[in-house]
Amino acid sequence: MRVPANGISLNYEVEGSEDAPWVTFSNSLAADLTMWDDQADHFKDRYRVLRYDTRGHGRSEPTQGPYSIEMLANDVLGLWEALGIKNSHFVGLSLGGMTAQCLALKHPDRLLSVAICDSRADCPEGYRSNWHQRIPEVEKNGMDPLVEPTLQRWFTDACRDAQPEMMDKVRDMVRSTTSLGYVGCAHAILGLDYLSQLNNVNLPTIFIVGAQDGGTPPEASQAMHKEVAGSQYVEIDPAAHVSNMENSKAFN
């Protein structure tokens, strides 16, 4: 389903009982709401599950970039407004986890809790260089050249070998991401700078990370965990960057 939100058309799905508390799932860069299929199935009996495609991803409208993390957070607020949601648990992975940080810092009254998964709160030089390489590549050649390298970063070798159907699903997600959406969100990541502010978060918070995550490694989640008083930290082994798909049982 689609709804106008923050000036664009956002695609979303809702499952679960109408009188249950809301939980919102936010996808990673180059993915879509189907990355949360296992979580939606697991939680729909106890929660009102909302999944949406990030701007320029899946079936949500792309716009000319650059984007900012605050813009992506405002997309969530617009979606909640359209659906009449006053507050929600929020689960975000990678880019979705960055959106979660913005919401937790700027709109804590709208959150029941926050799960920040396989993400980070800063953009140091080594991390920035990845985006400076990928942005012009996508602008020139589209998403196809990123498909196989993305799978290598997102999943362990054992998972890629054992789960060919999952890998095909992820290939389709990456390819279907618009170049505008990818590049716009990549610029948003380049502006990431929340680490020094996370000590202001006063919400039930959990940090989840795959033990084999090389893109946003455990050290990045540990650094965030240290800043948020009373937060929990869980490391999932085995799992690389997209821990909710690779090891959904442990993630759930």
Side-chain angles (χ1 to χ4, degrees):
M1 302 176 68
R2 296 188 188 185
V3 68
N6 197 28
I8 63 168
S9 175
L10 283 181
N11 183 55
Y12 72 95
E13 291 187 11
V14 173
E15 300 168 79
S17 173
E18 292 186 4
D19 58 358
W22 285 94
V23 56
T24 302
F25 289 91
S26 182
N27 58 274
S28 70
L29 182 67
D32 60 37
L33 59 79
T34 65
M35 73 174 285
W36 300 110
D37 283 349
D38 286 346
Q39 284 69 49
D41 185 64
H42 180 81
F43 288 104
K44 66 184 180 182
D45 292 337
R46 290 175 288 157
Y47 295 90
R48 186 73 161 160
V49 176
L50 169 63
R51 297 180 282 165
Y52 73 99
D53 291 331
T54 297
R55 178 183 294 242
H57 291 63
R59 297 178 59 205
S60 285
E61 182 182 352
T63 57
Q64 188 68 47
Y67 308 164
S68 67
I69 302 297
E70 187 166 358
M71 174 191 287
L72 301 180
N74 286 336
D75 288 348
V76 176
L77 296 175
L79 178 59
W80 285 347
E81 184 69 23
L83 298 179
I85 300 173
K86 294 182 179 180
N87 49 45
S88 174
H89 301 281
F90 194 90
V91 183
L93 190 142
S94 194
L95 177 64
M98 299 167 189
T99 304
Q101 294 172 59
C102 184
L103 290 168
L105 288 165
K106 297 182 180 297
H107 304 280
D109 57 309
R110 304 299 300 273
L111 296 175
L112 298 171
S113 71
V114 63
I116 298 169
C117 315
D118 296 281
S119 192
R120 65 180 308 135
D122 58 355
C123 193
E125 187 54 41
Y127 189 60
R128 296 178 67 84
S129 65
N130 295 327
W131 305 110
H132 287 310
Q133 293 172 7
R134 293 175 201 161
I135 287 171
E137 182 176 7
V138 171
E139 289 175 332
K140 180 179 179 181
N141 301 311
M143 294 297 295
D144 278 351
L146 290 191
V147 173
E148 296 307 320
T150 297
L151 262 64
Q152 292 173 14
R153 290 193 303 272
W154 282 10
F155 301 98
T156 63
D157 293 344
C159 180
R160 294 199 306 274
D161 292 342
Q163 303 269 6
E165 291 184 0
M166 181 192 293
M167 297 306 106
D168 286 341
K169 173 181 176 176
V170 175
R171 288 184 179 97
D172 289 342
M173 282 198 297
V174 177
R175 287 194 182 99
S176 69
T177 303
T178 67
S179 295
L180 280 178
Y182 187 93
V183 170
C185 288
H187 279 291
I189 293 171
L190 285 170
L192 184 66
D193 187 20
Y194 290 134
L195 187 59
S196 64
Q197 304 174 49
L198 289 181
N199 59 359
N200 294 312
V201 173
N202 187 25
L203 290 163
T205 303
I206 186 170
F207 296 95
I208 302 172
V209 64
Q212 290 80 35
D213 188 346
T216 52
E219 292 80 7
S221 288
Q222 291 165 3
M224 293 187 287
H225 168 53
K226 290 177 182 177
E227 294 296 322
V228 181
S231 64
Q232 300 179 55
Y233 172 83
V234 177
E235 199 167 301
I236 297 178
D237 188 5
H241 186 54
V242 186
S243 58
N244 73 299
M245 295 184 72
E246 176 156 355
N247 197 336
S248 61
K249 182 177 180 179
F251 185 94
N252 293 344

